[in-house]
Amino acid sequence: MHDSGSPVDAAPGVDVRESIRGYLRDNITVLGDDELRDDDNIFDKGFVSSIFAMQLLAHIESTFDVEVPDDYLSLQRFSSVERMTEMVEELRKVRRG
Amino acid sequence: MKMAKCVVWDLDDTLWRGTLSAGDDIVVEPQIIETVKTLDERGILQSIASKNNHDDAMRKLEEFGMAEYFLHPQINWNSKSSSLTALQAKLNIGLDTFVFIDDQEFERDEVTFVHPDVETIDAADRFLLTTLPRLSPAHVTEDARRRRLAYQEAERRDRSELEFQGPHDEFLRSLGMVLTISRAGGDDLLRLEELTHRTSQLNSTGIHYSYDELEKLLDDPGHDLWVCELRDRYGSYGKIGMALVEKSGGQWTIALLLMSCRTVSKGVGTVLLQFLIQRAEAHGTRLLARFRRTDRNRQMLLTYQLANFHVVSRDGADHLFENDLSIVRAYPDHVKVNVDA
């Protein structure tokens, strides 16, 4: 998935969002049947433990082949599907130079 | 000199006299039983690397009442170095903290060849084990004394987690975890000193504190020293976290926050920090925190920044954070928190 011609790179907006949403849905059961909207604050909706945050970070870094720098590890950037998607796209732009 | 954490025993003509597979009469010398018990009481883990039939050897150990002292015994026909590799992965401690004892020079050399950091000892010196400085910690904490039990409880927990059908947080809920936060007392200091030395991932500064330094802080009205203990239905994890808070004027500064890596997967890493946030808000003080970035503590950085701490100033690896206390969250619902302030 690291080549520039791969599906994730070809349609960044859709797949990044989809992937992050899917990961959250699979791993936060407190959400139950509630609809998770892309702008919902996941910290308000359900408890995000320190270990889950680490797993989420590892998922983002390995799936999208980005490295999240220290100053990006903030509540704002991780608060919702929307924000995380923006972050990934921003980091990929930096990577492409 | 780095202290050793685990002694790995060969069986035939080392832990016991005789060769089991040759049908010898197997004898365990009383001093060996004493040695194993003494090391166990000192918090030194022990295991086995023996070329034998697994079930026969385990039955023999049961007969001698010694089986319970050994974690993940490696009894098979593989090389001893591969048994050490397996133990390193299972116990998650550095190879340079292992001591391997065997009567055969070939086996000791094979281990040294693959793992030069493992100290090897001739079985002829077996009665000297308890006198070795690397196996003689100056202080033995309550947590050290029950270290083997803690590993065995963790093993049972891991097994039931593997068997558990369902999402991870449901499993965590089923553990019935209780985290107790209290002010440190004199008898906690050895353990706290040990925690500052042994913890690297969930550690906000990586700075070591000595017993004497901690003792001074304990009596200092300008500091709060908090300790937390975690229990679940399998037993106690022991004292697994601490926080040191400096109080001056209308502001508190968290000088050190750490949680043992034993608890990393239990989703309790944020609780102590949430406790301090709740308490600062209730007291109407500002809340700052010192953070020193190391190559190991990214998870602690993430924990702070996701708890809404922001960088106020920075000098190389040293950060000063502030939390404006605009977001105060409740504790996670899979752990019951008792506060004894």
Side-chain angles (χ1 to χ4, degrees), chain A residues 26-31 41-45 47-55 57-58 61 67-76 78-79, chain B residues 167-170 172-173 202 264-271 274 293 298-299 301-303 305-308 310 319 327 329-334:
Chain A
D26 291 347
N27 289 283
I28 309 183
T29 48
V30 259
L31 290 173
N41 185 315
I42 59 166
F43 294 89
D44 291 343
K45 272 264 169 179
F47 173 69
V48 178
S49 68
S50 153
I51 185 70
F52 176 67
M54 250 347 240
Q55 288 160 348
L57 177 59
E61 293 193 325
E67 195 178 320
V68 182
D70 282 1
D71 55 350
Y72 276 58
L73 301 175
S74 67
L75 188 55
Q76 284 69 27
F78 281 83
S79 61
Chain B
H168 186 64
D169 56 350
E170 273 172 36
L172 290 181
R173 238 183 295 278
L202 276 174
V264 161
S265 60
K266 301 300 175 301
V268 296
T270 58
V271 175
Q274 284 172 305
R293 184 74 160 96
R298 191 182 193 202
Q299 185 168 358
L301 176 70
L302 185 66
T303 301
Q305 298 195 148
L306 292 189
N308 206 27
H310 295 273
H319 300 62
I327 301 175
R329 293 186 201 283
Y331 297 123
D333 63 356
H334 68 273

Side-chain angles (χ1 to χ4, degrees), chain B residues 54-104:
Chain B
H54 178 272
D55 293 355
D56 295 347
M58 285 310 294
R59 208 171 300 123
K60 210 70 196 167
L61 286 168
E62 298 279 358
E63 244 172 64
F64 293 122
M66 295 181 79
E68 65 188 280
Y69 291 100
F70 303 103
L71 300 170
H72 308 289
Q74 302 294 305
I75 305 172
N76 50 51
W77 303 100
N78 302 335
S79 68
K80 305 253 172 156
S81 64
S82 67
S83 292
L84 265 298
T85 306
L87 285 172
Q88 195 274 325
K90 285 199 184 294
L91 298 173
N92 196 20
I93 54 179
L95 277 165
D96 57 354
T97 63
F98 279 91
V99 170
F100 170 63
I101 178 163
D102 198 304
D103 62 308
Q104 302 208 33

Side-chain angles (χ1 to χ4, degrees), chain B residues 90-160:
Chain B
K90 285 199 184 294
L91 298 173
N92 196 20
I93 54 179
L95 277 165
D96 57 354
T97 63
F98 279 91
V99 170
F100 170 63
I101 178 163
D102 198 304
D103 62 308
Q104 302 208 33
E105 195 178 4
F106 165 80
E107 299 291 6
R108 296 196 303 271
D109 287 350
E110 191 269 331
V111 165
T112 304
F113 181 77
V114 180
H115 303 304
D117 291 340
V118 173
E119 181 179 357
T120 61
I121 292 181
D122 186 340
D125 296 329
R126 60 196 181 282
F127 301 137
L128 301 177
L129 278 179
T130 53
T131 66
L132 295 180
R134 293 190 69 209
L135 295 172
S136 309
H139 306 289
V140 179
T141 64
E142 182 55 30
D143 279 76
R145 240 188 303 278
R146 54 183 316 285
R147 184 165 293 137
R148 169 177 53 89
L149 288 173
Y151 272 87
Q152 286 167 335
E153 284 161 10
E155 221 183 305
R156 280 198 290 279
R157 221 174 258 128
D158 290 349
R159 259 204 307 277
S160 62

